[in-house]
Structures are given as structure tokens and as C-alpha cells.
Amino acid sequence: MKRILVTGGAGFLGSHLCDKLLAEGNEVLCVDNFYTGRKSNIHHLMDNKNFEFLRHDITFPLYAEVDEIYNLACPASPVHYQFDPVQTTKTSVLGAINMLGLAKRLKIKILQASTSEVYGDPEVHPQPESYKGSVSTTGIRACYDEGKRCAETLFFDYHRQHGVDIKVMRIFNTYGPRMNPNDGRVVSNFIVQALKGEDITIFGDGSQTRSFCYVDDNIEGMYSLMNSRDGFTGPVNIGNPGEFTMLQLAELVIKMTGSTSKMRFSPLPQDDPLQRQPVIDLAKKELGWEPKVDLTSGLEKTIFYFRELID
Ligand code: NAD
Ligand code: UDP
Ligand code: UDP
């Protein structure tokens, strides 16, 4: 039995990861400051004797005794990471330093939840791991994009300089149950708006694309990466290559919810990437991983979750 630290464990992905690690027979120490996470995401785990929760901000040092670290703490929705951009960069950079310091002291493996945002508004399409990205250092998304890029740099420098065993995962847009209804990301926004009969808010003309991965596939990929062969550090893309425009997503959500909502268009936010699709050959080769859940099946489960929540 391992004792595993999950930072950001009360968030959307973190809470699903806690479920998975407990189901595999581990002890979990979940650390979160509830910046975007919620108690309700981990409520069902509170009576589990193998689960422990600590309210803590990872920009401050943490001294704990664990066997492995999954570093997920960081707001992921543009609305939330832009609300307090300085804190967002601190969480990515100081948080990475503290968690890497912890991994270094304990001589343990640490996985970083990085992001497709390291590719910025990509000039290469689809995006392989070798693409170095096109990111603004000064725009409104930079607090997140550059914070995550610096965190990757820290991971590779702790690896080279201190021999820390690292695994770096570049997550592409992931959705599913336990997203916060006020999260602000496109899948939760469209579903909640459709279920409430409110206007569907399309930013820009809706021709920009994203590739959406269902949460269960993401967690399988994350777990496989942590348990991949010694010496395999990544970075590795984990996402679903199915690429859709925001208009296609809106139409699908309206159809699947049977909603009467209309689309309302507003300007595209600054630096909003026009296209995004992962190349997942490396994940297939190294992890034997590929996504199994298509967009319609994943949306079905997510719509069911939000319908219950709203009712
Ligand atoms: P989320 O906002 O639901 O979860 C993030 C969690 O981190 C929240 O529970 C929040 O309270 C916690 N947190 C934030 N700052 C913290 C701090 N300083 N100290 C302790 N806890 C803190 O987002 P998510 O979708 O679950 O994302 C999890 C991770 O995956 C993030 O690092 C995110 O950047 C990355 N990621 C997610 C996606 C996606 O599509 N879901 C895509 C790319 C990368
Ligand atoms: N750190 C931590 N927990 C530990 C060990 C280190 O939070 O168990 C933090 C500590 O605050 C330190 C940071 O991680 O500032 C980086 O650690 P490292 O050993 O690399 O640096 P140093 O201690 O030399 O500053
Ligand atoms: N988006 C939208 N309406 C919304 C929320 C988002 O049209 O209510 C667009 C957004 O401009 C972006 C895409 O959907 O082009 C994905 O946005 P999200 O915030 O989910 O993630 P990210 O931009 O970080 O990929």
C-alpha cells in the first residue's frame, strides 16, 4: 500500500484521481485550498479510513511523509485563473518548487499536471510534444500558460540537477461530472445554459476548435504515466484527438439536452487559441493508452450529472 499525495485533490480531476487511487488500494493525502475545488467533490471519501484531507496552499512549504506526488493544484478555467493572475503564477511556480523540494527530500516520484496551453495559440496543427509553442508573455492567459511552462522547466531542472523522478503530462481540454457549474469552461457553460434554457454564450464566431477528452480516459492516462517505465519523463500529451468547433459543440449540447436555448455571440477573448488537437502517438507507444469515450457518450454522462445537480 502506497501513501499518495494529490494536490488539488478537491478539484474536478483531482477528486476523480483520489477515487482511482483509493480503488487501487492506496492511501491518499488530499491537499487543497478550495480556490476552485469543493468539499462536495470529496464528501463521499471523508469516511474512508484510507483518505485524509489537509486544507493547505501549496505556495507555502509542505512537510509530509508520502510515497508519490500528483501535482494538480492550479485553477484550470480561464475565468478563475484570470481572477487572481498573480496567485495563479505563484501556484504554478512556487507550488512546483515546494512539491519538487518535497519529492527531492523524500526521493519519490512526482507527476505534474501540465497543459496543452504550453502550446499557446499553435502554429503547428495538430500538436506533437516536440512543438515548442506560441505563447504571449504579457497577455491575459500568460499567468497560466507561462506559469505552467516554468513549472515544466522546474520539473526538468530538478530531474537533471537533483535526480528527481518526474512525469510530465500535457492535458488537453477534459470534461465530465464534478466540474463546477460556475467553472466557466465551455462544456460546463453550454450544458448548464442549455439545461436552464438560457442563451448559449459563444465567444467569437464559434469556428475555433478544441479536442475534448472525457475524465475517465484522462485519469487512466494519468495513472498509466505515473506507473510508466523508469526513466520515461514525458512530456506526454493526454487528450482525445476528436476535434470540434465551438459551434458544433453548442449544436450537439442543444440537441442532446432537447433545449430551446438560442446562441448568443460575443467577442473572442484576447489570445484565445484558434485550434487545438493532440498528437497522441507517444502516449500510445509508451503507455499503451488511448481514449475510449467519444464526445457524445461523454456528454451524455456529463449532462446527466448537471441535470441532477440543477434539479
Ligand atoms: P479545478 O480548478 O477543478 O481543480 C484545481 C484544484 O486545485 C482545485 O480544487 C483548487 O481549489 C486547487 N488549488 C488551486 N490553487 C491551489 C493552491 N495554491 N494550493 C492548493 N490547492 C490549490 O481544475 P481541474 O480541471 O481539476 O484541473 C486540475 C489540473 O489539471 C490543473 O493543474 C490544471 O491546470 C490541469 N489541467 C486541466 C485541464 C482540464 O481540461 N480539466 C486541462 C489542462 C490542464
Ligand atoms: N520543501 C517542502 N517540503 C519538503 C522539502 C522542501 O515544502 O519536504 C520546500 C522548501 O520550502 C523549499 C522548496 O521546497 O524552499 C525547494 O526545496 P529545495 O530542497 O529544492 O530547496 P532549498 O530548501 O534548498 O531552498
Ligand atoms: N468558450 C465559449 N463560450 C463559453 C466559454 C468558452 O465560446 O461560454 C470558448 C472559448 O473562447 C474557447 C473555447 O470555448 O475558445 C474553450 O474554452 P475553455 O475556457 O473551456 O478552455 P480553453 O480556452 O482554456 O481551452
Side-chain angles (χ1 to χ4, degrees), residues 61-63 97-98 101-102 104-105 158:
L62 174 66
Y63 288 83
I97 292 175
N98 287 326
L102 178 62
K104 175 186 150 201
R105 177 176 66 81
Y158 268 80

Side-chain angles (χ1 to χ4, degrees), residues 56 58-65 94-106 158 161-162 164:
H56 173 81
I58 63 156
T59 62
F60 297 99
L62 174 66
Y63 288 83
E65 307 309 313
L94 300 178
I97 292 175
N98 287 326
M99 292 309 102
L100 284 161
L102 178 62
K104 175 186 150 201
R105 177 176 66 81
L106 297 174
Y158 268 80
Q161 192 176 335
H162 298 304
V164 174

Side-chain angles (χ1 to χ4, degrees), residues 76-79 81-82 115-117 141 144-145 172-174 179 183-190 193 199-212 245-247 249-250 264 266-269 271-276:
S77 159
V79 177
Y81 71 64
Q82 288 164 19
T115 168
S116 54
E117 285 288 317
R141 293 174 84 100
Y144 182 76
D145 300 9
F172 282 66
N173 298 61
T174 303
M179 290 184 94
D183 181 84
R185 277 177 281 187
V186 69
V187 175
S188 45
N189 269 11
F190 284 4
Q193 290 161 347
D199 286 351
I200 307 279
T201 52
I202 312 254
F203 302 161
D205 63 6
S207 64
Q208 72 273 34
T209 68
R210 293 293 186 275
S211 302
F212 297 105
T245 66
M246 296 312 101
L247 274 181
L249 178 70
R264 178 159 50 86
S266 59
L268 193 67
D271 291 337
D272 199 293
L274 293 181
Q275 53 185 0
R276 197 182 282 157

Side-chain angles (χ1 to χ4, degrees), residues 6-16 30-38 41 53-60 71-77 80-81 87-88 90-92 95 112-117 144 148 169-176 178-180 183 185 211-213 215 218 222 238 276:
V6 178
T7 77
F12 160 52
L13 295 180
S15 63
H16 286 277
C30 169
V31 165
D32 204 295
N33 68 350
F34 291 125
Y35 183 72
T36 48
R38 291 176 300 165
N41 285 345
F53 177 77
L54 176 68
R55 187 171 189 148
H56 173 81
D57 180 333
I58 63 156
T59 62
F60 297 99
N71 187 36
L72 272 62
C74 186
S77 159
H80 295 289
Y81 71 64
Q87 172 67 13
T88 299
K90 283 184 185 173
T91 292
S92 281
Q112 167 69 354
S114 190
T115 168
S116 54
E117 285 288 317
Y144 182 76
K148 288 284 188 179
M169 169 182 190
R170 291 186 179 154
I171 303 173
F172 282 66
N173 298 61
T174 303
Y175 68 97
R178 294 194 200 146
M179 290 184 94
N180 191 325
D183 181 84
R185 277 177 281 187
S211 302
F212 297 105
C213 184
V215 59
N218 173 284
M222 197 176 324
I238 296 291
R276 197 182 282 157

Side-chain angles (χ1 to χ4, degrees), residues 258-292:
S259 174
T260 53
S261 292
K262 299 277 173 286
M263 297 187 205
R264 178 159 50 86
F265 292 83
S266 59
L268 193 67
Q270 184 194 0
D271 291 337
D272 199 293
L274 293 181
Q275 53 185 0
R276 197 182 282 157
Q277 185 189 32
V279 174
I280 59 165
D281 296 349
L282 185 63
K284 281 186 186 163
K285 176 170 159 273
E286 284 288 344
L287 314 177
W289 176 89
E290 61 183 312
K292 296 194 174 68

